[in-house]
Amino acid sequence: MMIFFIVGLIVHVVFFLSIFDIYFTSPLVHGMTPQHVPLAPPAKRLVLFVADGLRADSLFKPDDNGTGRAPYLRSVIEESGTWGVSHTRVPTESRPGHVALIAGFYEDVSAVAKGWKENPVEFDSVFNESRHTWCWGSPDILPMFAKGATGDHVYTYTYPPEREDFASTDASRLDTWVFDEVKDFLNVAKSNETLLNMLHEEQNMFFLHLLGIDTNGHAHRPMSKEYLENIGLVDSGVAEFVSVMDDFYGHDGKTAYIFTSDHGMTNWGSHGAGHPSETLTPLVAWGAGVQTAQREGSHKYDDNYLKEWGLETSMRVDVNQADIAPLMSSLIGVPFPVNSVGVLPLNYLNNSQHFKAESIYANAIQILEQFRVKMAQKKETTISFLFTPYHSVVLGFIGWTSYVVLFILKTHASLRKPPTNMHMVSGGCCSPACSMFVSHGLLVALFLMVQSSPWTYYIYCLLPVPVWFSVMREFETLASLVRSVPSLPLSKCFGYFLLVTFGIELLVVSFFYRAMLTLGLVVLALWPMVSGLYTKAKVRSLSWMLSCLFLAVFPLLPVVGREPDVNYVTMDMMQVVLCAYILTSTHSSLQLKQGLPLFNQLVSWLTLVSSFLIPLLSSTRLFHRLLSILMSLVCVYLLLSTGYEALFPPVLSWLMFAWINIEQETMNTQGSSNRTELSSTDFAENIDITKIRQLRLDDIQRSYFFVFFIIIAFFGCGNIASINSFDPASVYCFLTVFNPFIMGGLLMWKVLIPFVIVMCTFESIQVSTQLSSRSLFLVVLVISDLMALHFFFLVKDHGSWLDIGTRWVNCIVLLVLASILLTKLTTSSVWFVSVFVHVISHYVIVMSMTIFLMLLSVMTHILTSKRILIGRKRKMHFR
C-alpha cells in the first residue's frame, strides 16, 4: 500500500505540475535590443498619476447638478489636453493593470499561480529605461517596479500597510499623504544640491499612485458619497501639484502629465473580470509634447458616452491600456520597454511628422524584435508531435486510472482466482513485457536527448512507461474479471455504468453552470422513491428529500455581484446568537465609520481558534461528535458571511445527517449480518476486521454521492476562483486593514468548512456501512481522476482571472482531492504529505490553499475520533 501511495502521489504531482508547463508558461522573451526615437524629445520629465480603481464614467460624467466632479481635469480636456478611454484587459487587477501601463504588456498567464503582488518573471518598464523615477504610494505596487529595475535609479516612498484600512473613517487620506509627501520632497530638493541636479536632468519620471478611490470603492461602493468625493479630492490635488511643479521648474514648459487608472470597479465594489465598469478607465494627457484640445467634427464611436458625459464637442481618442507605455517613452525620449506590445497613439503627440514617423518606426521595430526572438526560441524547442508533454501526460494518466481500477478489482472485489501462473506474460523484470517497456523507455530518452529537451520533458514522456508496465503486470486480474463475467448481473452493471457516466458529466458541466447542481440534487431527492426505501423508512426518506430540495436552492443564487445583506445572517441558528451579534454590530460600526470594535475582533479570532478545540472535548459517539463539529464550524462560517450563504452549512448538515440515516436504513434493508445502531457507534473504537466486507455495486453509488457532495460543498454558494472578486466585507469581523494573505486565508477556510462537514460525514458512512476506508476512497479516486482528466483538456490560459481561475482551479481541486484520497490510504504518510504540500503550495491561489486541502483528511480524522480528557487533577490527556 505504501508503494501504491508513493506511485500515485508521483503521478498526481506530475499531472499537477504539467499544467503550468503546458498551459501557463510565460510569453515574455529576453535578448531584444532596446529601440528609441533618435530625435530630441519634447519633454524633459513626465508625471504619471494613477487613480487606482477609478471608472471612466465616474470621472467624466457630470453629477446630478450638471457640474463635473473633477473641474480641473475637465478644463484640461476642454482646453489644453487630449483625452479618451483607456481599454484595460482582464484580469482587471492592480498589479497587471500597472504592468500594462508602465511596461506595456498584458497579464502574464504564468502569474495565475504566482499571486498578484509581483510578476513571476523579470520585465522591462518605462521606469527602468528612465534616468530617474520617483514614486509615491502603496507598498503593494511600488516595490514591484523598483525590484525589476536595473541599477539604483527608481526611488519609492510608501506609507505603512496599516493605513490601507477598509474601516478607515476617511480612506482619501491615502491620496492626501501622497500629495503632501511629493510637495515636501520638492521643498527639500531646493536645499539639497545633489537632489536638485538630479531633478533637473532629462528623462525623469514621477509616479503618484493614488489608492484612496479604490479603497473607498471597496468599502462603500463606487456610487457612494465617499468614492465620489475622493475623486474631487484627487482632482484638486492634481491641480495643486501641477502648479507646484511649474513653479519648481520655472514654467519651462518641459513637463508632460498623464492621468489614468489601472482598472475600474463594479457597482458592488469588486474588480477582476471583464465588465465595462471594470475595463473602461479614463485617460487624460497634457503638457509638453501632448496634443492640445481638439474639437470633434464627427463621432467615430458607436457608444453614447460622449452625450452622457457632456463631451460631444471634445475629440475623444481611445487607446488600449498597453499603448500608454510607448506614449510615455516617446514623450521623454527613453527606449521603449522591450516587452511592450503597445502601439504608440499618434493622436496624442503634438510634434512634427518626422518625429511621429521616427517614433512609430521605433515602436514597430521593438515589437518585431520580440517576434524574431520568439520564433528563434520556438525553432530551438520544437520536438516531435509524439513526444509532447500534453500527449504523454494524458497517456500516463489514463494508464494510472486503469491501474487503480485493476487494483480495486484485485484487492477489494470477490473475483475468481487465476488458475495458472502467467508470470511470463505479466510478471517479473526478466519477462518479455519488461524488456519491451525498458527498450521503449530507452528510445524515448534517446530521442529527447537528441532534441536537447528540458529535463521536465523526460518526466512527462517517460512516466507512461512504468505506469503501463504496472497495468500489464495486472493482466491476471483482468483475466479473472473476464472469467467472472458470466456470473455478474450484466444488466445491473451496465445500468450503474450509464448512471455513473451521466453523473460524472453532470458534475463536469456543474463546474461551469452551477444550476446543474440543482438538477443533480433534485434527481438525488428521488433516490428513496426509485430504490424503494420510501416505503420502508418514510420519515428518513422524507428528511432526505426535503434536505436535497432545500439545498438545491443555493446553486441558483448569485455568487459574485450581490450586495451584502446581514439580515440573512441573523436568521441562522439560535446557538450562534453571539456570533450573529458580533457580525451585525461590526457592520453597523463600520457603516458609522467607528472602525472595528476591539471586543468584536477578539471574539471573532477566539471563535476561530476554539472551533478546532471544542469538538475534541465532546463525546466521540457519532451524532454527538458530528453535532459538536457542526456548531463550531457554523459559528466561524457565520462570522465570515455577508448574506444568504450563512444558511448553507446548516442545510448541508441536515442533508449529511439524512445521508447517514438513509445509508444505515439501506444496510438494514439488505439484511446485513453485522447490524450496527447509529446511536451506539463510536468513532474512537477500533474497527473489527472481521466485520469489514468487500465492495459491492451499490458502493459505487456511495462513492459518487461523496464526490457530488464535495462539489456541492465547493460550489454550492461560491467557489475558489470567485475569491478573485471577493467582497472584503466578508472578513471585517476579523480585520479591516488590507492584508491579502490573511484575508485570502480566511476566505479559503470559509470555502473549506462545508468540505470538512462532508468529509466527517463520509467517515461516518464508512463506519456505519462496515467498509474499509481504503476501498471506498479508491473508487472515489477513480471518479475524481476521470474528472481531472476531463478538465485537463478544458484548461484556459486567457481571459480574466475569474475565467482562468475557474478552469484552472477545477483541475487543481480534483487533483488535490485525489491527493487527499491517497493520504487516506495509508496513515504513515502524513509527514511526507505535509512536506510535499509545503513545496507545491507556492503555485496555488493565496499560497496556502493546498496545505488546507491536503491536511483536511487528517483534520477530519482528528475531529471525529480524538478526544481531550480533562481529569480531576487538571491534567489533559489526548486520546
Side-chain angles (χ1 to χ4, degrees), residues 304-320:
N304 198 38
Y305 291 139
L306 287 174
K307 182 177 180 181
E308 182 181 340
W309 299 338
L311 294 170
E312 299 96 328
T313 60
S314 298
M315 188 174 72
R316 168 183 158 191
V317 182
D318 286 7
V319 300
N320 293 319

Side-chain angles (χ1 to χ4, degrees), residues 169 282 367 375 385 459 564 570 679 830:
T169 57
I367 296 176
M375 290 300 100
F385 175 81
I459 298 176
T570 56
S679 58
V830 174

Side-chain angles (χ1 to χ4, degrees), residues 471-656:
V471 173
M472 182 63 69
R473 292 193 62 181
E474 299 299 330
F475 182 81
E476 297 175 4
T477 304
L478 184 60
S480 299
L481 176 64
V482 173
R483 285 190 296 270
S484 301
V485 167
S487 62
L488 296 176
L490 295 182
S491 59
K492 188 175 182 180
C493 291
F494 183 71
Y496 268 99
F497 173 77
L498 291 180
L499 288 175
V500 171
T501 302
F502 170 78
I504 290 177
E505 290 303 314
L506 183 142
L507 288 179
V508 169
V509 176
S510 70
F511 274 63
F512 309 106
Y513 305 99
R514 290 173 58 240
M516 295 302 296
L517 294 175
T518 298
L519 175 62
L521 285 168
V522 171
V523 173
L524 290 186
L526 301 176
W527 174 45
M529 305 288 291
V530 176
S531 63
L533 286 173
Y534 181 77
T535 58
K536 301 174 183 178
K538 291 186 178 181
V539 175
R540 292 181 174 182
S541 298
L542 187 61
S543 176
W544 166 269
M545 296 167 68
L546 290 177
S547 58
C548 283
L549 294 177
F550 272 96
L551 194 65
V553 175
F554 287 92
L556 297 176
L557 299 175
V559 178
V560 180
R562 53 179 171 82
E563 292 289 338
D565 187 354
V566 296
N567 293 324
Y568 281 114
V569 179
T570 56
M571 293 168 56
D572 208 1
M573 306 169 67
M574 291 300 295
Q575 292 89 335
V576 289
V577 170
L578 176 61
C579 292
Y581 164 75
I582 293 296
L583 180 69
T584 306
S585 64
T586 296
H587 282 270
S588 176
S589 176
L590 294 179
Q591 289 176 357
L592 296 175
K593 298 184 180 181
Q594 297 175 352
L596 172 60
L598 179 60
F599 172 77
N600 292 14
Q601 188 175 21
L602 291 176
V603 170
S604 298
W605 284 105
L606 183 62
T607 302
L608 176 63
V609 174
S610 64
S611 65
F612 300 102
L613 299 177
I614 291 178
L616 300 178
L617 300 175
S618 65
S619 170
T620 54
R621 293 296 177 94
L622 189 146
F623 284 121
H624 292 171
R625 178 54 63 93
L626 288 182
L627 186 61
S628 177
I629 294 172
L630 165 66
M631 299 311 302
S632 299
L633 295 179
V634 164
C635 289
V636 178
Y637 197 93
L638 181 63
L639 293 172
L640 292 168
S641 299
T642 60
Y644 72 84
E645 77 272 20
L647 301 174
F648 181 73
V651 178
L652 177 64
S653 302
W654 176 18
L655 177 57
M656 294 298 98

Side-chain angles (χ1 to χ4, degrees), residues 266-495:
T266 62
N267 289 340
W268 51 88
S270 69
H271 52 82
H275 190 273
S277 62
E278 300 169 271
T279 60
L280 301 183
T281 58
L283 173 61
V284 183
W286 69 100
V290 179
Q291 184 65 259
T292 56
Q294 303 292 311
R295 297 303 172 187
E296 183 68 86
S298 60
H299 303 304
K300 60 180 180 180
Y301 300 102
D302 296 331
D303 55 59
N304 198 38
Y305 291 139
L306 287 174
K307 182 177 180 181
E308 182 181 340
W309 299 338
L311 294 170
E312 299 96 328
T313 60
S314 298
M315 188 174 72
R316 168 183 158 191
V317 182
D318 286 7
V319 300
N320 293 319
Q321 192 174 46
D323 299 344
I324 297 176
L327 173 62
M328 293 190 293
S329 298
S330 179
L331 288 173
I332 58 176
V334 300
F336 295 103
V338 294
N339 299 117
S340 173
V341 297
V343 178
L344 179 64
L346 292 177
N347 289 335
Y348 276 81
L349 294 179
N350 183 16
N351 214 311
S352 65
Q353 294 298 321
H354 183 203
F355 182 87
K356 292 182 179 180
E358 290 285 358
S359 297
I360 199 66
Y361 175 78
N363 185 204
I365 294 298
Q366 172 263 321
I367 296 176
L368 184 62
E369 277 286 301
Q370 295 182 69
F371 179 78
R372 181 187 60 79
V373 173
K374 286 183 179 181
M375 290 300 100
Q377 292 182 355
K378 186 176 182 180
K379 291 179 180 179
E380 294 174 1
T381 58
T382 299
I383 64 172
S384 172
F385 175 81
L386 295 176
F387 295 100
T388 60
Y390 182 89
H391 300 91
S392 299
V393 168
V394 172
L395 185 63
F397 211 70
I398 292 175
W400 161 254
T401 306
S402 303
Y403 176 73
V404 175
V405 172
L406 293 174
F407 186 84
I408 294 173
L409 295 174
K410 178 181 178 180
T411 59
H412 297 283
S414 301
L415 291 178
R416 297 178 184 178
K417 300 299 180 182
T420 59
N421 186 0
M422 306 179 69
H423 176 81
M424 293 304 293
V425 176
S426 61
C429 296
C430 297
S431 65
C434 179
S435 301
M436 180 184 67
F437 278 99
V438 170
S439 301
H440 179 76
L442 291 175
L443 286 175
V444 172
L446 180 62
F447 184 86
L448 293 174
M449 188 180 301
V450 171
Q451 294 291 330
S452 300
S453 301
W455 66 270
T456 53
Y457 281 31
Y458 287 85
I459 298 176
Y460 302 144
C461 296
L462 291 175
L463 178 65
V465 176
V467 171
W468 279 102
F469 177 69
S470 300
V471 173
M472 182 63 69
R473 292 193 62 181
E474 299 299 330
F475 182 81
E476 297 175 4
T477 304
L478 184 60
S480 299
L481 176 64
V482 173
R483 285 190 296 270
S484 301
V485 167
S487 62
L488 296 176
L490 295 182
S491 59
K492 188 175 182 180
C493 291
F494 183 71

Side-chain angles (χ1 to χ4, degrees), residues 584-774:
T584 306
S585 64
T586 296
H587 282 270
S588 176
S589 176
L590 294 179
Q591 289 176 357
L592 296 175
K593 298 184 180 181
Q594 297 175 352
L596 172 60
L598 179 60
F599 172 77
N600 292 14
Q601 188 175 21
L602 291 176
V603 170
S604 298
W605 284 105
L606 183 62
T607 302
L608 176 63
V609 174
S610 64
S611 65
F612 300 102
L613 299 177
I614 291 178
L616 300 178
L617 300 175
S618 65
S619 170
T620 54
R621 293 296 177 94
L622 189 146
F623 284 121
H624 292 171
R625 178 54 63 93
L626 288 182
L627 186 61
S628 177
I629 294 172
L630 165 66
M631 299 311 302
S632 299
L633 295 179
V634 164
C635 289
V636 178
Y637 197 93
L638 181 63
L639 293 172
L640 292 168
S641 299
T642 60
Y644 72 84
E645 77 272 20
L647 301 174
F648 181 73
V651 178
L652 177 64
S653 302
W654 176 18
L655 177 57
M656 294 298 98
F657 277 107
W659 185 26
I660 294 172
N661 279 286
I662 206 165
E663 287 290 358
Q664 180 66 21
E665 189 64 35
T666 302
M667 293 296 296
N668 294 339
T669 301
Q670 293 173 350
S672 174
S673 59
N674 299 315
R675 301 182 63 169
T676 304
E677 293 296 330
L678 290 177
S679 58
S680 61
T681 302
D682 195 320
F683 283 113
E685 290 182 353
N686 294 326
I687 298 176
D688 188 351
I689 300 179
T690 61
K691 296 181 180 180
I692 299 299
R693 60 177 177 83
Q694 294 281 21
L695 281 172
R696 298 195 298 253
L697 278 176
D698 57 354
D699 292 323
I700 299 177
Q701 157 230 299
R702 294 184 177 93
S703 301
Y704 177 78
F705 278 9
F706 172 68
V707 176
F708 184 86
F709 291 139
I710 285 291
I711 303 304
I712 284 286
F714 270 109
F715 300 98
C717 60
N719 59 69
I720 294 178
S722 67
I723 288 181
N724 178 63
S725 299
F726 82 97
D727 187 348
S730 299
V731 298
Y732 280 174
C733 289
F734 294 87
L735 76 165
T736 56
V737 176
F738 181 67
N739 189 314
F741 298 107
I742 295 180
M743 289 180 169
L746 290 171
L747 264 295
M748 278 295 170
W749 180 235
K750 176 183 177 181
V751 171
L752 294 177
I753 283 176
F755 191 29
V756 175
I757 295 174
V758 176
M759 290 287 290
C760 291
T761 303
F762 200 52
E763 289 272 352
S764 307
I765 296 293
Q766 295 169 36
V767 174
S768 63
T769 58
Q770 301 157 356
L771 256 179
S772 168
S773 62
R774 293 177 179 178

